[in-house]
Amino acid sequence: MNKFLEIVYASQIADEEQGGKWREFFEPLMERLKGIVSESVYDELLELLIDCTTDNNRFYAVEGMKLAIGIMDGTYVLKV
């Protein structure tokens, strides 16, 4: 099920129009790093940030979809 939901996320939710919006939030950090580290280190950190952000977004998108499915089919149990 998770793989199916990841594919749904990748094809429907993670489009560049909205998917690239995260960059706005990290722009101050990346600009500051650009002035501190070498270009090669900056490029490495940017690639790492992109990978981490993608994994994070995929995880929470899939968890959110599983929650929605559980609510719709009546299997969701509130955890307090």
Side-chain angles (χ1 to χ4, degrees):
M1 170 78 92
N2 284 2
K3 194 63 178 170
F4 170 75
L5 295 176
E6 286 178 19
I7 292 168
V8 170
Y9 165 76
S11 65
Q12 299 296 318
I13 297 172
D15 64 36
E16 185 57 36
E17 184 176 318
Q18 294 298 321
K21 185 137 179 83
W22 69 269
R23 293 174 193 244
E24 292 177 25
F25 301 117
F26 288 98
E27 188 67 28
L29 171 65
M30 298 314 293
E31 283 302 312
R32 180 78 172 110
L33 284 175
K34 196 180 280 187
I36 297 173
V37 300
S38 69
E39 186 176 344
S40 63
V41 170
Y42 174 84
D43 291 342
E44 186 177 333
L45 291 173
L46 179 59
E47 185 175 329
L48 181 61
L49 178 64
I50 290 169
D51 290 345
C52 291
T53 301
T54 300
D55 291 343
N56 177 74
N57 291 350
R58 183 180 301 117
F59 173 80
Y60 282 106
V62 169
E63 290 303 306
M65 287 185 275
K66 288 175 12 184
L67 173 63
I69 291 167
I71 291 169
M72 290 186 306
D73 69 10
T75 59
Y76 173 72
V77 177
L78 180 62
K79 297 175 186 172
V80 182

